[in-house]
Amino acid sequence: MDTLPRGLGLDADAPIAQRLAEFTHAVRAENIPADVIAQAKRHLLDCLGIALASSGFEFGVRTATAIAGLAGDGEHPVIGLAIRLPLRDAVLVNGTFIHGLDYDDTHSDAVVHASASAVPTALHMARAHRATGLEALAAYVLGVEASARIGAAAQGGFHQVGFHPTGMVGAFGAALTAGRLAGATPRQMQAAQGIVLSMAAGSLEFLADGSWTKRIHPGWAGVAGITATALARGGFKGPPRPYEGRFGLFASHLQERAPADLSRCAAHLGEVWEMRNVALKPYPCCHFNHAFADAALALRAAHGLRPEEIARITCRIHEGQVKVVCEPEAAKRAPANSYEAQFSVHYAVCAALVRGRFGLDDLEEEAIQDPEILSLMARTGYETDPTSRFPRYYGGEVVVELRDGRVLRHREEMNRGSDGNPLSQADVERKFLDNARRVLSAARAQQVLDLAMTLDRAPGTEALTDALSG
């Protein structure tokens, strides 16, 4: 079946925002490939489990309490808590919960957590506009399609100059998700993208001390997208060329410091589905660390390694990942809190070697301050690896030098959870239940799982969002 109505051809010379808007408006939900919808449901389920787990952490409770005090009561449930908020405020909190543990999916080429903004925007806009579950899933997929392409066009450049693309790029995808569900016209969706250019934000300064700001980026992206859509539908004018304009997204944020491939922003729409290229996370840390955790666990299992045997560890990593998980190295070798630990390749490797696992419990203060892990991190370093396939895959190699002179190596070419090394449906469901059962009964967690996995047949998103409420 054709994804787009016959006769609709996207003008390659039209502004990027126009082409994305026309595509988002024209796609028939029933014509999105079945495997893409199935993958969307798996990623939706994954997001909901992480959000449920986040609701029990200090940052989650403080976020929800602060926003509830500001916003007052509403009709939209907060995941995991007995709070209901107005539309945008619920999206803000739930998007923060989805991203809050850094356990959510990542589009590899774009280095963007696209689902964290698209999922809450889709679920709550569908609830507000009484759209079907299938329409909610379609809007979620279309938001991911836009965010993935815009992020990939930067070719890793946003991270190199201190911007977090999940917050910035996610706002444009959220605007299209919101516009689709609100019934916006293509012209209005184009205007919304221009408007959201003045709202999209995301700074990597949190890396300096593990501050909480990164967590809120996708929630804020959803708020920005919904707000821009409402303004555009009300006749508010937005710049028509928010991507390629003289002061558009790429020119203003990258300037001359990094190239952008603008052709990727609207390439192969309806032919290549970027949802297929979004990677799930088996570990609750920066995706750049996953291959290294797997390599460390493989070495431990194969050789029965004990920390006292190890003289030195070297993590071989692509230079494009270094600023995020390797530097400043003194801080990466002694993370002060869970967030710093999540962004330390040194901690991921050493915790895995010492404890034989890496889960949420290994981000507790007791684990982070474990003297054995700290001692091993002091003997851990990195070197750049030009053979890495980054950003397509986040591979990595761990080299362990033993005190007896032996040198052991293990390399993971493709991070587990990516399209080249995917998690199974059973893996996804197990991860969801592990996360959900931190705050829900087993029966309630199973109810949410069943509702999420049948959302494409549901009359709306009310049953699912209500079941998620604490």
Side-chain angles (χ1 to χ4, degrees):
M1 299 176 71
D2 293 332
T3 299
L4 298 174
R6 292 186 181 279
L8 177 66
L10 301 178
D11 183 356
D13 295 323
I16 293 166
Q18 179 181 329
R19 283 178 276 163
L20 290 173
E22 289 177 352
F23 174 71
T24 301
H25 183 268
V27 170
R28 299 179 178 123
E30 61 272 19
N31 286 357
I32 295 175
D35 72 291
V36 173
I37 292 295
Q39 178 140 340
K41 290 191 292 183
R42 286 192 292 274
H43 286 248
L44 170 76
L45 180 71
D46 185 64
C47 287
L48 299 181
I50 298 161
L52 284 164
S54 290
S55 71
F57 282 74
E58 182 187 5
F59 80 85
V61 174
R62 289 187 180 275
T63 300
T65 301
I67 299 302
L70 175 67
D73 293 336
E75 298 180 355
H76 293 264
V78 170
I79 296 172
L81 299 175
I83 298 173
R84 289 182 181 246
L85 296 172
L87 169 64
R88 288 182 297 175
D89 301 282
V91 170
L92 174 60
V93 174
N94 289 336
T96 301
F97 283 10
I98 291 169
H99 190 51
L101 297 174
D102 231 283
Y103 211 176
D104 52 313
D105 63 28
T106 309
H107 184 277
S108 300
D109 273 356
V111 200
V112 168
H113 299 273
S115 293
S117 52
V119 163
T121 302
L123 288 179
H124 291 285
M125 283 295 287
R127 185 180 177 113
H129 292 274
R130 302 190 182 283
T132 67
L134 180 59
E135 271 299 327
L137 286 167
Y140 160 40
V141 167
L142 293 166
V144 169
E145 293 300 313
S147 294
R149 286 173 166 80
I150 298 163
Q155 303 181 92
F158 288 133
H159 281 92
Q160 300 306 311
V161 293
F163 293 111
H164 184 214
T166 293
M168 294 193 314
V169 171
F172 294 94
L176 290 163
T177 293
R180 166 84 179 206
L181 291 166
T185 66
R187 186 176 294 275
Q188 290 168 343
M189 285 195 232
Q190 181 179 359
Q193 291 170 82
I195 295 166
V196 92
L197 175 63
S198 291
M199 302 175 179
S203 165
L204 291 178
E205 182 58 22
F206 71 90
L207 288 170
D209 65 353
S211 297
W212 290 358
T213 48
K214 179 178 184 283
R215 292 179 161 115
I216 208 166
H217 289 170
W220 187 256
V223 169
I226 292 168
T227 305
T229 294
L231 288 168
R233 293 184 72 216
F236 196 95
K237 295 181 180 179
R241 299 169 66 86
Y243 306 110
E244 64 270 63
R246 183 163 66 103
F247 297 115
L249 176 68
F250 297 102
S252 63
H253 287 72
L254 297 181
Q255 299 186 18
E256 300 302 321
R257 292 173 289 187
D261 181 2
L262 295 185
S263 68
R264 299 197 65 172
C265 291
H268 308 296
L269 290 166
E271 299 172 14
V272 174
W273 290 91
E274 295 296 340
M275 187 77 229
R276 292 171 173 147
N277 300 322
V278 181
L280 290 161
K281 283 189 173 184
Y283 300 115
C285 62
C286 178
H287 229 137
F288 293 171
N289 291 336
H290 287 208
F292 294 95
D294 273 337
L297 290 171
L299 286 168
R300 187 181 193 271
H303 303 283
L305 293 178
R306 299 190 307 276
E308 63 271 18
E309 296 178 290
I310 297 173
R312 179 168 177 79
I313 299 170
T314 302
C315 301
R316 303 192 68 245
I317 188 169
H318 190 275
E319 63 180 354
Q321 300 166 271
V322 165
K323 287 184 179 180
V324 178
V325 296
C326 300
E327 295 179 346
E329 196 160 24
K332 300 301 184 184
R333 284 176 171 153
N337 52 54
S338 63
Y339 224 47
E340 289 191 10
Q342 288 174 302
F343 286 86
S344 165
V345 73
H346 305 66
Y347 183 77
V349 167
C350 295
L353 283 170
V354 170
R355 295 184 159 227
R357 63 171 194 261
F358 194 4
L360 289 174
D361 291 340
D362 300 299
L363 294 168
E364 298 290 346
E365 184 176 358
E366 178 186 0
I368 295 168
Q369 299 302 320
D370 184 329
E372 201 167 26
I373 296 176
L374 288 169
S375 174
L376 194 56
M377 282 194 288
R379 309 195 297 275
T380 300
Y382 75 91
E383 63 182 35
T384 58
D385 178 10
T387 68
S388 168
R389 297 172 67 181
F390 178 84
R392 184 64 184 85
Y393 296 109
Y394 307 152
E397 183 178 16
V398 173
V399 182
V400 177
E401 300 172 41
L402 300 180
R403 297 191 188 279
D404 64 9
R406 287 180 296 156
V407 178
L408 308 175
R409 297 172 177 268
H410 186 90
R411 185 180 188 89
E412 293 285 337
E413 290 288 351
M414 295 178 285
N415 52 295
R416 192 157 51 93
S418 67
D419 63 301
N421 189 10
L423 298 184
S424 68
Q425 177 70 24
D427 291 332
V428 176
E429 292 186 6
R430 184 163 45 250
K431 176 185 171 183
F432 167 79
L433 291 172
D434 286 345
N435 285 326
R437 286 173 183 164
R438 296 174 77 95
V439 295
L440 297 183
S441 67
R444 186 78 169 276
Q446 186 63 48
Q447 178 192 13
V448 172
L449 189 157
D450 294 340
L451 288 167
M453 295 310 298
T454 56
L455 185 60
D456 53 329
R457 303 196 296 274
T461 61
E462 291 84 359
L464 176 58
T465 50
D466 285 343
L468 288 161
S469 178

